[in-house]
Amino acid sequence: MARTDSTGSTWRYRWAHRQNERRHRTYRGAEAAWQRRAEELRRLRKLAADFHGSAAAGLGLPLELAPDEVVLWVWPAAKLVEVRHTGVLPAPDLTVDPDATPVRPRRPDGVRVADAGMAVITSRRLVLLGGRGRRDWAYGRMTGLAHDPNSPVTLIQVLDRRRTSGLMLPVEAAADFRFTLTLAFADAIEQRATVVAQLDELIAEHEQLKPLRPAVATPGQARLSGLVPGGRRTVAVAAAVAVLVPAVLIESNPSDPAGEVAAAATPAPSPSVAPMLVRPAAVPGGTSPSPTASAKPKPKRTTPSPTPQRERLCGAPDNPMGYDFCGGDRIRRPAAEICDYFDCVQEFWAGRGYLVQCRDGAVSLTGGRREACAEHRGVRRTVWT
């Protein structure tokens, strides 16, 4: 027997069931994404604190190491790339970016492949053991370093070489290569503690963003808009159409269709037949009707009366949290019930930023980040409180 509320209906229970299923599905996806990032941050933190390379890792390599030089990373398949014309690259820094956008296996325009071989990161230098010889980039002589955000290419400028060169790694090796190169450069300037502190800060920040288990929706929270396919969005669109269509018809001031039909149906007088003059009948009182008395008066243009001013939302859906598109403070920790009033993207709670609306209408918690609304045609505007 189906469960019913006090009115004998079952749609409220079906609405609550759908809401709880959607909330838990969103929560499970957000929790899984949060856990993956937490494990990656802990892995990088452990490497930054404990990994210092080994001289034994260089055994068998056609590379002569200095007495205090150790090998930190080796990859057997890398390409030497060169750029003919480029500007000044930014100075090497110690920024760790575990949230970088996944790169694609492509070579940027203007970059040509000059050689291929084995890439080796030591505590003193980056080396490519290629088929045409060896190429070294000593950390002490680096003046510029840039990682391409869209391709697995790293460009380097050094003091004793005019042309900018670098390495192109396979996609699966690019992230580890860049992180290990950052550690090696930090060791060269005795700043590894800075990298460790940066990772500790990222871990602490990530702990604050752990998704909360959603509240349970009850049948009593169901609204009448739940009976309409599409919910509140369909009701809002229908209301907008009901307001705009009469206004457009009034502004357009269409002519009388009956008059147009009558005029079209009346044949034009023939020029060879003289019109018969008919004296108008006398009107009691000694006055004759005015020849223009039967003319149809011209309709006056009217403008629709202004609608009552709505609540200050600037286009945002009605919500008890007071979120709008007008302005105010950015939202970094939205209320747990936000997805009941806004259309949330998948894995909404995995976002790391402030609340924004994407161009397709969904809201995302990735505002201020490089990949904000990347799968939803970009950011449209910020959600404020």
Side-chain angles (χ1 to χ4, degrees):
M1 181 176 179
R3 300 179 64 184
T4 61
D5 62 3
S6 59
T7 63
S9 63
T10 60
W11 69 269
R12 296 181 184 272
Y13 289 94
R14 291 196 298 270
W15 176 89
H17 177 74
R18 290 194 303 269
Q19 286 292 318
N20 289 324
E21 285 290 324
R22 182 177 60 82
R23 291 182 184 183
H24 284 289
R25 184 168 58 250
T26 303
Y27 168 74
R28 288 192 295 268
E31 186 182 35
W34 182 91
Q35 188 63 35
R36 286 194 300 270
R37 174 175 163 77
E39 293 175 355
E40 177 65 11
L41 287 174
R42 288 194 293 266
R43 183 183 75 86
L44 296 179
R45 172 63 172 78
K46 182 175 178 59
L47 286 176
D50 303 331
F51 180 68
H52 296 280
S54 169
L59 297 178
L61 296 178
L63 179 64
E64 183 178 354
L65 300 176
D68 59 345
E69 188 176 11
V70 296
V71 174
L72 283 79
W73 190 84
V74 178
W75 190 263
K79 296 178 181 179
L80 172 66
V81 295
E82 293 181 343
V83 183
R84 292 186 178 274
H85 305 287
T86 185
V88 178
L89 298 181
D93 59 16
L94 304 180
T95 302
V96 178
D97 188 11
D99 296 326
T101 305
V103 297
R104 293 176 291 175
R106 68 178 185 86
R107 177 163 49 89
D109 297 337
V111 176
R112 72 180 188 91
V113 176
D115 200 358
M118 180 182 297
V120 182
I121 297 178
T122 76
S123 56
R124 288 191 173 189
R125 54 188 167 159
L126 170 63
V127 184
L128 177 73
L129 303 174
R132 299 181 181 180
R134 192 182 76 189
R135 179 69 63 91
D136 291 26
W137 296 270
Y139 305 138
R141 303 187 66 82
M142 282 187 182
T143 60
L145 186 146
H147 302 297
D148 192 307
N150 299 316
S151 66
V153 172
T154 296
L155 298 178
I156 306 170
Q157 290 175 339
V158 293
L159 290 173
D160 55 354
R161 194 175 298 128
R162 295 182 58 185
R163 181 173 295 178
T164 301
S165 59
L167 292 182
M168 180 174 179
L169 279 297
V171 172
E172 63 273 13
D176 283 343
F177 165 76
R178 295 176 178 183
F179 179 73
T180 308
L181 185 61
T182 300
L183 282 183
F185 183 77
D187 283 343
I189 61 176
E190 299 180 354
Q191 291 293 324
R192 182 180 281 232
T194 302
V195 178
V196 176
Q198 183 182 168
L199 288 168
D200 286 337
E201 182 180 350
L202 289 174
I203 291 173
E205 181 183 351
H206 184 62
E207 288 293 333
Q208 298 295 324
L209 298 175
K210 186 174 183 179
L212 301 176
R213 187 174 296 276
V216 177
T218 62
Q221 297 173 340
R223 300 183 177 185
L224 292 178
S225 59
L227 289 171
V228 181
R232 293 186 301 273
R233 185 175 300 177
T234 301
V235 173
V237 172
V241 171
V243 172
L244 292 177
V245 169
V248 171
L249 292 177
I250 292 174
E251 289 292 333
S252 63
N253 190 22
S255 58
D256 186 7
E260 294 181 359
V261 173
T266 303
S270 173
S272 59
V273 179
M276 182 176 58
L277 298 178
V278 179
R279 183 182 299 275
V283 179
T287 60
S288 59
S290 173
T292 59
S294 60
K296 185 177 181 180
K298 184 177 181 180
K300 298 182 180 179
R301 293 178 59 88
T302 59
T303 56
S305 59
T307 57
Q309 184 177 5
R310 297 187 59 187
E311 186 181 356
R312 181 179 177 271
L313 294 174
C314 299
D318 293 335
N319 63 93
M321 297 88 68
Y323 297 168
D324 57 45
F325 299 139
C326 304
D329 298 326
R330 288 173 174 167
I331 305 167
R332 295 186 178 274
R333 302 194 67 180
E337 64 272 16
I338 181 175
C339 295
D340 295 341
Y341 302 93
F342 290 81
D343 184 14
C344 296
V345 300
Q346 290 187 353
E347 298 189 358
F348 170 82
W349 295 105
R352 298 180 66 253
Y354 53 83
L355 193 63
V356 294
Q357 185 189 40
C358 305
R359 292 188 181 276
D360 63 354
V363 295
S364 173
L365 200 56
T366 57
R369 305 197 63 82
R370 183 168 51 194
E371 70 277 9
C373 293
E375 298 180 359
H376 300 270
R377 304 201 303 271
V379 176
R380 180 184 178 188
R381 52 188 169 180
T382 302
V383 184
W384 307 91
T385 184

